[in-house]
Amino acid sequence: MSLEDPPIDHREQATQNYERIQNEVISEAKRSILSEYRVDDFDSVLFITSAPRGGSSLLFDILRHHERTCSLDGEHDRWYTLNGICYPAFDSDVVPPDFESFDREKLLTDLLAEVGATERSGDRAHRVDNTLVRLPLQFPNRELPYERIREQLLEGVSLKKILEGFGIAPLQYDEYAERDADSPFETETIEDRPFVSSHRHKRGLTVDDFERTLILKASGDAYRLPWIREQLFPETDSKVVHLTRNPAASINGLYDGWQLHRGFQTYDVGDLDIDGYDGSLWCYDLPPGWVREGNLIDICLMQWTQAHRHILDGRDAFEDVLRVRFEDVLTDTESTITEIVEFADLGESALLSENVESPNKVMTTKEPRRARWRDREDLVMSALERADETYTGVLEELEYTEEREWI
């Protein structure tokens, strides 16, 4: 770069590195699929929508083990971010339904970049390729030898060891799920380090896999459902699972995530003066009406309220919507998953049944425990008691008016 060249921002750098990986590094089979297909070529799509800390990662992980599904390795909104469909192009995570000023072809191809098909035997090459396409999004300001990394991964060298060789602490990657950092990370990325990574029963896509159901999950989709339907999947058979969770448990989880330095940071929105938070980056979704100062517990409540309000208002963009309580996923897992499988017309799956019997622990902030929110009950209830009419309306529509049911 010459002195006259403008600096490259982290999205531009990530895009350059990702496109090089896509065109030169990943397997020839994956390159072929990405050159001929887009994510809207799937016959059907099942969206899981919820507020953050609503249990969607667990539900997504269970359903993606169904052998009639395809899925990404985690939340897909990183590809929106890479394409600039996010703050600060918009004031919040809300994307207007008529927004068309984006490269639709590129976005739909990018969304396909890490999609794999569920199959018991799995495919190591697919997992390696997915690791590679995500690295530029996770470390946008690092120049890494991606070809050599691919060779090492295929040889069985652990990613942890490879990253340590480049001076990248493992805490900045997969150890987020095990412990907290000493302080918040200050570097903005395209994608948070993965809590949900590729499971061993995934392989690369083939042409026939587009007859399967694609499962997509991102809490930010709460704010863009009509846009997704109108601009991305207007012709695709699409269904929505609206996953709900009681407000106390959800905002308690959000409060944990803001404080625990686990990598939930999403945007650099400028100076923040939030009582209860010492970081510089915003965490989780960016709802309309977000504020730079105030009490953290009130911001967490706003994130729960606004997410569900927008899902309730935007669900009419889809003909088929099933509301599911996360509490039922926890207490009556088998019948609740069966209801979702029937709703999505997926049929039976031995691999899914095994996962239902023994679900993975996914993206937790602390050890799961029923009604854990009561550990800070006074703080949580004080926020709920001063909440506005929007919260009250959502609470009633979601039928969470009985506190004794808040587990």
Side-chain angles (χ1 to χ4, degrees):
M1 178 183 295
S2 69
L3 294 177
E4 291 77 21
D5 290 333
I8 299 177
D9 69 21
H10 70 289
R11 288 196 186 99
E12 291 180 27
Q13 187 65 57
T15 298
Q16 288 181 10
N17 288 334
Y18 160 67
E19 289 179 349
R20 183 167 73 82
I21 291 170
Q22 181 187 27
N23 296 327
E24 302 175 12
V25 182
I26 58 175
S27 67
E28 183 177 343
K30 193 176 188 73
R31 290 201 302 269
S32 176
I33 287 290
L34 293 178
S35 69
E36 297 179 24
Y37 293 91
R38 308 181 313 188
V39 76
D40 61 334
D41 286 320
F42 280 95
D43 287 351
S44 59
V45 179
L46 178 67
F47 293 93
I48 301 173
T49 61
S50 184
R53 310 312 307 161
S56 59
S57 292
L58 175 60
L59 179 60
F60 171 74
D61 188 65
I62 292 174
L63 292 175
R64 71 181 183 147
H65 281 80
H66 195 292
E67 289 143 316
R68 289 293 304 161
T69 68
C70 295
S71 60
L72 287 80
D73 287 344
E75 299 203 355
H76 56 274
D77 49 6
R78 54 182 167 267
W79 299 108
Y80 299 141
T81 302
L82 185 67
N83 283 268
I85 306 173
C86 60
Y87 177 90
F90 302 100
D91 294 333
S92 68
D93 277 339
V94 174
V95 179
D98 59 352
F99 174 67
E100 299 178 342
S101 299
F102 67 99
D103 188 336
R104 185 172 183 270
E105 181 83 20
K106 180 180 182 302
L107 176 60
L108 292 173
T109 301
D110 287 349
L111 285 166
L112 188 63
E114 57 176 300
V115 174
T118 298
E119 186 173 282
R120 186 178 293 275
S121 59
D123 175 10
R124 182 178 183 84
H126 167 72
R127 297 194 295 274
V128 168
D129 283 343
N130 274 17
T131 298
L132 289 167
V133 299
R134 296 173 75 178
L135 281 176
L137 281 65
Q138 294 153 357
F139 303 99
N141 296 317
R142 295 293 300 264
E143 289 290 342
L144 299 171
Y146 298 108
E147 293 89 347
R148 182 150 59 90
I149 291 175
R150 186 174 193 275
E151 292 175 0
Q152 290 179 293
L153 288 172
L154 288 173
E155 291 170 356
V157 182
S158 71
L159 180 61
K160 176 181 177 180
K161 183 175 181 179
I162 293 172
L163 293 179
E164 285 179 330
F166 299 118
I168 297 175
L171 179 59
Q172 287 183 262
Y173 204 79
D174 53 0
E175 289 186 15
Y176 266 137
E178 301 174 8
R179 62 187 178 94
D180 308 325
D182 295 329
S183 61
F185 289 108
E186 307 295 332
T187 304
E188 191 176 18
T189 64
I190 308 300
E191 179 199 0
D192 251 347
R193 315 318 189 228
F195 288 84
V196 182
S197 57
S198 186
H199 62 69
R200 59 191 179 92
H201 304 297
K202 292 279 284 293
R203 59 162 173 76
L205 293 177
T206 65
V207 174
D208 292 341
D209 291 326
F210 288 92
E211 297 177 1
R212 297 184 177 211
T213 295
L214 172 67
I215 301 178
L216 291 177
K217 170 282 218 212
S219 59
D221 280 353
Y223 300 102
R224 47 186 175 238
L225 285 176
W227 174 75
I228 288 172
R229 185 54 167 161
E230 292 184 24
Q231 304 298 334
L232 300 186
F233 296 97
E235 307 296 334
T236 306
D237 178 17
S238 301
K239 296 181 179 180
V240 173
V241 172
H242 178 189
L243 183 67
T244 67
R245 189 182 190 184
N246 74 78
S250 294
I251 69 173
N252 183 65
L254 284 163
Y255 195 89
D256 283 341
W258 277 82
Q259 290 194 320
L260 289 179
H261 312 325
R262 284 272 177 107
F264 295 108
Q265 297 97 336
T266 50
Y267 298 116
D268 183 354
V269 298
D271 293 338
L272 294 172
D273 184 14
I274 299 174
D275 186 16
Y277 179 59
D278 60 356
S280 63
L281 301 178
W282 186 267
C283 294
Y284 298 107
D285 304 344
L286 192 66
W290 62 275
V291 294
R292 299 182 185 277
E293 57 186 33
N295 294 319
L296 177 57
I297 195 68
D298 294 323
I299 291 173
C300 295
L301 175 57
M302 175 176 60
Q303 289 180 310
W304 181 87
T305 301
Q306 287 294 330
H308 285 297
R309 181 69 271 159
H310 279 77
I311 294 172
L312 290 167
D313 292 343
R315 62 186 175 182
D316 289 345
F318 296 83
E319 293 183 1
D320 298 308
V321 180
L322 175 68
R323 187 185 301 169
V324 174
R325 285 191 171 205
F326 184 61
E327 291 82 358
D328 293 335
V329 175
L330 294 177
T331 61
D332 193 6
T333 308
E334 184 174 353
S335 63
T336 303
I337 298 301
T338 297
E339 181 184 16
I340 298 172
V341 167
E342 292 176 352
F343 168 73
D345 296 323
L346 292 176
E348 296 182 356
S349 166
L351 190 60
L352 174 76
S353 299
E354 294 169 13
N355 196 259
V356 168
E357 292 178 2
S358 182
N360 298 318
K361 187 168 68 174
V362 180
M363 209 170 182
T364 57
T365 53
K366 288 188 176 180
E367 190 66 26
R369 173 164 48 86
R370 290 191 182 186
R372 186 170 57 81
W373 68 271
R374 293 198 182 276
D375 292 348
R376 55 168 69 101
E377 181 174 356
D378 290 344
L379 178 65
V380 171
M381 293 307 295
S382 69
L384 300 184
E385 288 168 0
R386 60 176 175 266
D388 60 17
E389 294 179 356
T390 303
Y391 162 76
T392 304
V394 171
L395 191 73
E396 292 175 351
E397 285 192 60
L398 298 185
E399 300 179 348
Y400 278 114
T401 55
E402 299 295 329
E403 182 187 323
R404 66 177 182 273
E405 299 177 356
W406 296 0
I407 64 172

